[in-house]
Amino acid sequence: MVELSKERLPVSVSAAVFIEDEQGRLLLLQQSSEEKGKKWSPPSGGMFPHEDPFENARREVREEIGVEIEFIDLIGIYTIDRGDKKTSIGFVFRAKITSGDIKPAKGEIDNYKFFTIGEIKELIAGDLLYKPEYNKKCIEDWIDGKSFPIGVIRPLI
């Protein structure tokens, strides 16, 4: 039997937004940072204090590509063990652009592209997906059409 500790682990919380174009291709952003390997991922990032997952997602999309969104549904809520001292929780939304034109944030995003499923599989095979331990499963669930009502997330005051 595993002995459980009463120590609470630090938790990081983030949100990602999957945006499709009219052809059903997925928007991915190429990271500017050499540290991030100039790899590709959906618009995403960590939650600030006092934000809820919706505010987190809207802010990240605004900051990274300068557009406003409307949520369609929830692809999933994911947890990942980040080692002895940290756990991450990620909310992954499906959304559509409601206003603005995509303008990548200088110094943060080098490029953007709407990818077909085949092109995404090539990114994965070429190890060009940022945080594959997280994004690969989310993309697989997107491909499989996973969908949960947005109302399953209920911010409480």
Side-chain angles (χ1 to χ4, degrees):
M1 179 175 185
V2 175
E3 187 175 322
L4 298 176
S5 168
K6 291 186 179 190
E7 177 185 353
R8 294 187 183 250
L9 294 177
V11 175
S12 67
V13 182
S14 64
V17 182
F18 282 38
I19 299 169
E20 297 175 30
D21 67 4
E22 300 80 31
Q23 289 82 41
R25 299 175 299 176
L26 180 63
L27 176 66
L28 296 177
L29 312 177
Q30 185 180 33
Q31 305 296 312
S32 294
S33 168
E34 291 292 338
E35 181 182 294
K36 295 180 179 179
K38 297 203 173 258
K39 295 185 178 186
W40 295 83
S41 69
S44 59
M47 185 183 291
F48 289 157
H50 311 290
E51 276 187 323
D52 67 35
F54 300 106
E55 293 166 330
N56 177 194
R58 281 189 189 94
R59 178 183 50 77
E60 288 295 341
V61 169
R62 222 178 281 124
E63 288 176 1
E64 292 182 357
I65 58 174
V67 299
E68 298 298 324
I69 59 169
E70 178 183 314
F71 296 103
I72 297 169
D73 61 15
L74 179 71
I75 295 172
I77 301 170
Y78 301 84
T79 62
I80 187 164
D81 184 344
R82 298 274 186 203
D84 289 344
K85 297 289 182 186
K86 194 171 185 180
T87 296
S88 294
I89 299 171
F91 293 82
V92 179
F93 297 98
R94 189 181 333 262
K96 64 180 178 179
I97 295 173
T98 57
S99 67
D101 295 319
I102 296 175
K103 293 181 185 118
K106 290 186 183 193
E108 187 175 354
I109 306 299
D110 274 352
N111 201 358
Y112 71 93
K113 180 181 172 183
F114 285 93
F115 287 84
T116 65
I117 291 171
E119 291 170 327
I120 292 170
K121 289 179 179 179
E122 289 176 18
L123 281 180
I124 292 168
D127 192 30
L128 294 172
L129 194 62
Y130 181 59
K131 292 188 176 179
E133 72 280 3
Y134 175 74
N135 283 314
K136 185 173 179 270
K137 179 59 180 158
C138 300
I139 287 172
E140 288 169 356
D141 287 350
W142 170 77
I143 290 169
D144 290 342
K146 296 276 166 82
S147 172
F148 301 92
I150 216 77
V152 300
I153 302 171
R154 297 176 44 198
L156 302 175
I157 297 175

